Amino acid sequence: MRMVMRIPSHRASRGVSFLNLVHKLVYLPAVLLSSIGASASITVLASSSSSEAAAASVRMSQSEPPLPPPMAKKVEHKMEMFGDVRVDNYYWLRDDSRSNPDVLSYLQQENAYTQFLMSGTKKFEDELYAAIRGRIKEDDISAPERQGPYYYYQRTLKGKEYVQHCRRLIPNFEAEAPLSVYDTMPTGPDAPSEHVILDENIKAQHHDYYSIGAFKVSPNNKLVAYTEDTKGNEIYTIHVIDAETGAPVGLPLVDATSYLAWAGDEALVYITMDATLRPDKAWLHKLGTEQSSDSCLYHEKDDMFSLDLQASESKKFLFVGSESKITRFNFYLDIAKLEDGLVVLTPRVNGIDTFVSHRGNHFFIMRRSDKCFNSEVIACPLENTSETTVLLPHRESVKIQDIQLFSDHLVVYEREEGLPKVTIYHLPDVGQPLKSLHSGQAVNFLDPTYSVGRSESEFSSRILRFSYSSMKTPPSVYDYDMKTGISVLKKIETVLGGFEASNYVTERKWASAPDGTQIPISIVYRKDLIKLDGSDPLLLYGYGSYEVCIDPSFKASRLSLLDHGFIYAIAHIRGGGEMGRQWYENGKLLKKKNTFTDFIACAEYLMEKKYCSKARLCIDGRSAGGLLVGAVLNMRPDLFKAAVAGVPFVDVLTTMLDPTIPLTTSEWEEWGDPRKEEFYFYMKSYSPVDNVKAQNYPNILVTAGLNDPRVMYSEPAKFVAKLRDMKTDKNIIMFKCEFGAGHTSKSGRFEKLQEDAFIYTFIMKALDMVPAQGSGLN
């Protein structure tokens, strides 16, 4: 029951979660503890210059020499292409089996060094974590969702890392009774009792990592199918259980993705991957049979394409999509006619991108092409899919991002001037002709910058459910009556600790890129603490790849930065999708450097307008955003005081030359194919590992996950090793590799808060903002 936008950027990519950074304490070996001394501590001193990041020094509380940073051994590895020879002295750090003793030893040394460097601020970090955790309501439930005769929801328990999946019967349920925005789930003593379908806390007991990717209730509400990942490598096992007893139904299905859907009450459709973790096969599984007897519905043999799966809002069809970064085509499976198998709905045409759904006797299609680059919405009869009608034409200033269908309405999620919009159109009765749609009803939002997402809604109702958030508005769930325009808040995340949204200000500013393009920046700060004279600390976040939109949203742990006087900003740079399809196109392939220069322009704008100075500016990015951080560190290291690169995609050229690495082949349309000379030299010119040079760098924290299938741990490891060898300053570089997680870091909700506390402590340490006694935290 996830609240996500179904947009092209959800394709497999080097980036899903953006701010949950890796942190796990690895205890120092006894020999190191004895040499360091139990009471040793360190402090990073502030720069004495307001214009440059000065060398950080280490002050020890005892006379023992500081622990030296790990220095990876050099083993020359030459790579030659187009007459160009590259030498990678740290290529040996790549171990696909993740079992090489030398590699694991080096990673453990890095973790030990990181823990040593942070030991002097451990009290501050612990207090910061306690303050962050103190803001959340640990025992809570999500906004209940109606499905058939039940309310379904998730419950969190005090002190527990994971959720329970629960349901309650709807009293006096009538299948034909209309839904209302005022409907609420009764919880009193006379209400139907709560039933726990699945407790993730029990399932996670024997695993360092635990994540459920999909949780699907059968149409008759008797069974549940869910996908489970216990390593962080995004290889899932599918379980089917009885919704009442929890008893397993049949044997698990192994080596699957998280794409899963019911095909009626007695069958499942799921997707598996090839050796490079590319989703390539769609399967039909009938309950009570062995996985070996499942029928393959489709095998995508083109390694540039990957499969996905979704159900229509009407629940009458399943759609299997096959997509590259620029092309997508779709099949449909009629749930009432499983024996017919998959049928082509939208054919494969290079450069044409289609997303599909269903209502009545029509399929609805969101279609993008070079001509209609911001997409159009068309419809076609079920019996003649080549006969199309344009419902919403392409507009150069408005990007259609997603569509959601109801029995009487079409909801269109759009973007205009970088901001999300929701527009509702009334549809004619089923059986009546479909014509061009006009005079849509817009849902209004108050904040200057915000985030909106679609949520699970009842297809046959007139109630649209959506999620809303801004950088000062906690995540909220609304039910909106599409006939009356009445909106009712169903749930808002409780923030404890005296939080008042009115204490914070959100702004939207525009920076000029070197080519004159205006780059939007979202900003939040606490108005009673900020001076706007250049002395305020600022954390600037960026991503800028895969057409992903980094819309401003709320994060409770971020209050610990804002309440310490930080300004937080997001640079909505090219390569993302915030300003439309062309925004993305102008930040990829041979225009990728626009992403980096946009970010630098945003940093310079924030300094020019006195939001911060070089000595107070920190930057942050994850995955492809980590590539951004690595690139701008090489280009303009003088601009920043500290940088955080989470699971960073930094060895771009070497990775994209190796088709055996997951995601490589499917991403040649994103970054370029370096087997072609033009792309080879362009990618080499910005690839962070290839551009580390003898120069001063700011304080840097780099993270990785040993089981990460999207960005192999060896990429950040090589980046750190090369930086250590070549940089000319005395600033700190820390590398933290989480041995029990993958791309999205640790899986427990409190573990993620600990990661935030660790990251924030590093940033404040670099800015000399850690109190001497580590007390008085907010």
Side-chain angles (χ1 to χ4, degrees):
M1 300 180 183
R2 292 176 289 175
M3 302 175 183
V4 298
M5 300 288 284
R6 191 177 70 248
I7 58 175
S9 60
H10 277 181
R11 298 162 177 172
S13 62
R14 292 180 169 86
V16 177
S17 298
F18 303 103
L19 293 178
N20 292 324
L21 300 176
V22 175
H23 166 48
K24 178 184 178 183
L25 291 177
V26 178
Y27 290 100
L28 287 167
V31 63
L32 289 179
L33 283 173
S34 64
S35 66
I36 295 168
S39 62
S41 65
I42 62 173
T43 303
V44 177
L45 299 179
S47 169
S48 60
S49 168
S50 62
S51 61
E52 296 183 358
S57 62
V58 177
R59 183 172 64 241
M60 306 297 297
S61 65
Q62 294 192 359
S63 58
E64 294 89 355
L67 183 69
M71 298 300 290
K73 66 181 179 181
K74 293 183 179 181
V75 180
E76 187 178 88
H77 178 83
K78 289 186 177 180
M79 298 169 285
E80 182 173 357
M81 200 164 194
F82 304 116
D84 178 60
V85 178
R86 292 184 300 136
V87 177
D88 185 349
N89 290 319
Y90 307 106
Y91 190 87
W92 67 272
L93 284 169
R94 175 183 169 183
D95 171 32
D96 292 4
S97 71
R98 289 146 171 96
S99 61
N100 183 298
D102 289 343
V103 173
L104 296 178
S105 175
Y106 171 73
L107 297 176
Q108 289 164 348
Q109 291 175 49
E110 286 285 2
N111 283 345
Y113 178 67
T114 293
Q115 184 182 355
F116 169 69
L117 288 181
M118 296 294 286
S119 61
T121 50
K122 188 63 171 68
K123 180 182 178 183
F124 177 85
E125 180 187 331
D126 289 344
E127 292 179 353
L128 188 62
Y129 165 68
I132 291 173
R133 182 166 173 174
R135 286 194 181 91
I136 70 170
K137 188 176 186 297
E138 294 191 18
D139 53 336
D140 205 357
I141 67 168
S142 63
E145 298 175 1
R146 287 182 60 143
Q147 180 175 323
Y150 294 95
Y151 283 108
Y152 288 87
Y153 54 96
Q154 294 179 354
R155 178 178 293 281
T156 54
L157 303 175
K158 187 174 180 61
K160 299 294 186 180
E161 291 275 9
Y162 300 95
V163 303
Q164 294 178 326
H165 298 265
C166 308
R167 74 179 182 185
R168 287 179 190 261
L169 277 168
I170 299 174
N172 306 313
F173 172 75
E174 297 180 21
E176 302 303 320
L179 270 63
S180 166
V181 291
Y182 301 109
D183 289 341
T184 57
M185 181 180 74
T187 57
D190 297 328
S193 61
E194 175 178 280
H195 173 64
V196 178
I197 302 171
L198 181 73
D199 189 338
E200 291 187 20
N201 297 288
I202 296 174
K203 299 289 292 182
Q205 283 179 343
H206 303 295
H207 303 286
D208 290 334
Y209 181 95
Y210 190 83
S211 177
I212 287 183
F215 187 89
K216 305 288 186 178
V217 180
S218 63
N220 63 10
N221 293 278
K222 293 182 178 181
L223 303 175
V224 168
Y226 66 93
T227 63
E228 177 185 74
D229 174 10
T230 59
K231 294 182 179 179
N233 59 7
E234 300 178 43
I235 300 174
Y236 291 86
T237 298
I238 299 171
H239 300 271
V240 180
I241 59 173
D242 185 289
E244 279 298 315
T245 67
V249 177
L251 296 174
L253 308 177
V254 299
D255 297 329
T257 69
S258 62
Y259 291 117
L260 175 68
W262 284 97
D265 292 316
E266 299 179 351
L268 293 167
V269 175
Y270 65 99
I271 291 177
T272 59
M273 297 175 285
D274 65 11
T276 65
L277 306 185
R278 178 181 64 92
D280 70 326
K281 291 180 181 177
W283 300 85
L284 177 66
H285 172 75
K286 295 183 178 179
L287 299 187
T289 65
E290 300 283 339
Q291 185 174 5
S292 58
S293 65
D294 292 350
S295 57
C296 183
L297 297 172
Y298 180 69
H299 180 196
E300 180 53 79
K301 298 179 180 179
D302 189 333
D303 62 9
M304 297 278 284
F305 284 74
S306 298
L307 299 184
D308 61 33
L309 170 68
Q310 65 189 46
S312 67
E313 292 92 344
S314 66
K315 308 303 181 187
K316 295 183 180 295
F317 293 90
L318 298 182
F319 300 114
V320 173
S322 180
E323 62 183 9
S324 70
K325 289 294 182 290
I326 62 171
T327 301
R328 177 185 173 90
F329 58 102
N330 298 271
F331 304 88
Y332 69 84
L333 178 67
D334 189 335
I335 292 176
K337 301 177 182 178
L338 295 181
E339 66 277 6
D340 289 352
L342 292 183
V343 179
V344 174
L345 174 51
T346 56
R348 174 172 172 172
V349 180
N350 188 53
I352 303 294
D353 214 358
T354 53
F355 285 81
V356 296
S357 195
H358 163 259
R359 177 253 192 189
N361 54 355
H362 284 85
F363 290 119
F364 287 65
I365 303 168
M366 185 177 73
R367 181 171 65 185
R368 184 202 58 78
S369 64
D370 289 342
K371 181 180 179 181
C372 299
F373 51 82
N374 276 337
S375 297
E376 61 184 346
V377 177
I378 62 176
C380 63
L382 302 186
E383 66 277 6
N384 185 4
T385 57
S386 62
E387 181 187 327
T388 61
T389 300
V390 176
L391 302 181
L392 292 172
H394 170 261
R395 291 158 291 171
E396 291 194 7
S397 61
V398 179
K399 173 186 176 182
I400 299 174
Q401 191 166 355
D402 195 11
I403 59 174
Q404 184 176 9
L405 277 161
F406 294 78
S407 55
D408 295 320
H409 296 88
L410 170 67
V411 179
V412 182
Y413 297 86
E414 302 169 312
R415 302 193 70 85
E416 187 172 15
E417 287 296 307
L419 294 176
K421 296 174 56 180
V422 179
T423 307
I424 298 164
Y425 297 89
H426 182 77
L427 296 174
D429 293 340
V430 172
Q432 296 298 311
L434 281 174
K435 299 179 180 180
S436 180
L437 300 175
H438 302 281
S439 304
Q441 173 184 340
V443 180
N444 297 318
F445 307 105
L446 297 178
D447 291 296
T449 62
Y450 54 88
S451 176
V452 177
R454 61 180 283 171
S455 297
E456 190 74 22
S457 302
E458 285 277 341
F459 173 76
S460 60
S461 78
R462 68 189 199 190
I463 308 303
L464 167 68
R465 172 163 288 189
F466 64 85
S467 60
Y468 176 84
S469 174
S470 77
M471 289 197 285
K472 69 172 187 176
T473 306
S476 309
V477 177
Y478 286 89
D479 279 354
Y480 181 88
D481 190 315
M482 293 182 284
K483 183 176 181 180
T484 66
I486 295 173
S487 180
V488 175
L489 177 66
K490 308 303 289 186
K491 174 73 178 179
I492 185 168
E493 180 181 296
T494 301
V495 182
L496 305 176
F499 169 75
E500 290 288 345
S502 60
N503 291 334
Y504 303 87
V505 174
T506 60
E507 298 176 350
R508 192 166 187 243
K509 302 295 182 181
W510 300 81
S512 293
D515 63 2
T517 301
Q518 296 297 293
I519 314 299
I521 308 173
S522 297
I523 300 170
V524 64
Y525 54 84
R526 183 164 159 168
K527 61 185 178 182
D528 60 329
L529 297 179
I530 298 305
K531 298 178 285 295
L532 296 180
D533 61 358
S535 67
D536 300 307
L538 187 147
L539 178 60
L540 177 62
Y541 179 82
Y543 189 73
S545 292
Y546 302 111
E547 205 177 356
V548 168
C549 301
I550 307 297
D551 285 324
S553 60
F554 187 86
K555 185 175 183 180
S557 63
R558 189 189 300 141
L559 295 174
S560 287
L561 286 180
L562 302 182
D563 290 354
H564 274 82
F566 270 80
I567 299 171
Y568 182 81
I570 302 171
H572 302 287
I573 49 186
R574 282 176 285 184
E578 290 93 336
M579 298 287 287
R581 178 71 181 191
Q582 295 304 104
W583 197 253
Y584 165 58
E585 296 286 354
N586 288 326
K588 63 182 290 194
L589 298 174
L590 297 175
K591 297 180 180 179
K592 188 61 203 172
K593 289 183 183 179
N594 283 337
T595 302
F596 316 136
T597 54
D598 285 358
F599 190 80
I600 291 171
C602 289
E604 291 177 327
Y605 170 87
L606 291 167
M607 288 184 284
E608 176 191 347
K609 298 301 181 182
K610 302 298 183 182
Y611 284 95
C612 64
S613 64
K614 290 182 180 180
R616 307 292 278 170
L617 175 58
C618 305
I619 59 174
D620 180 20
R622 272 185 64 83
S623 192
L627 159 62
L628 165 70
V629 169
V632 300
L633 284 176
N634 285 330
M635 295 167 66
R636 289 295 307 277
D638 61 297
L639 281 181
F640 316 111
K641 180 66 176 179
V644 179
V647 291
F649 175 42
V650 284
D651 199 12
V652 178
L653 186 55
T654 299
T655 293
M656 296 306 295
L657 280 168
D658 188 346
T660 68
I661 295 177
L663 301 182
T664 292
T665 56
S666 63
E667 297 205 351
W668 282 332
E669 291 176 342
E670 175 77 23
W671 311 101
D673 183 351
R675 298 174 303 175
K676 301 174 182 178
E677 185 172 358
E678 183 180 25
F679 286 107
Y680 174 91
F681 285 104
Y682 186 80
M683 294 165 74
K684 182 187 176 184
S685 72
Y686 70 77
S687 175
V689 166
D690 291 288
N691 287 277
V692 172
K693 58 180 71 76
Q695 63 179 352
N696 288 352
Y697 286 87
N699 299 287
I700 302 172
L701 171 63
V702 180
T703 68
L706 186 64
N707 298 323
D708 191 338
R710 295 173 183 261
V711 177
M712 190 174 291
Y713 73 90
S714 55
E715 292 197 37
K718 288 198 285 184
F719 186 52
V720 168
K722 194 169 182 180
L723 279 168
R724 285 203 203 287
D725 181 53
M726 297 192 69
K727 73 189 190 78
T728 56
D729 59 85
K730 295 181 180 179
N731 289 326
I732 288 174
I733 292 184
M734 296 195 302
F735 178 44
K736 198 159 197 11
C737 181
E738 173 52 61
F739 276 55
H743 196 66
T744 56
S745 75
K746 293 290 284 183
S747 54
R749 59 176 179 147
F750 300 134
E751 291 172 321
K752 292 183 182 297
L753 299 182
Q754 287 176 323
E755 295 162 6
D756 289 340
F758 179 79
I759 298 300
Y760 297 164
T761 299
F762 163 76
I763 291 170
M764 285 189 268
K765 183 186 186 76
L767 296 175
D768 196 27
M769 293 179 63
V770 178
Q773 301 301 319
S775 60
L777 295 183
N778 296 313

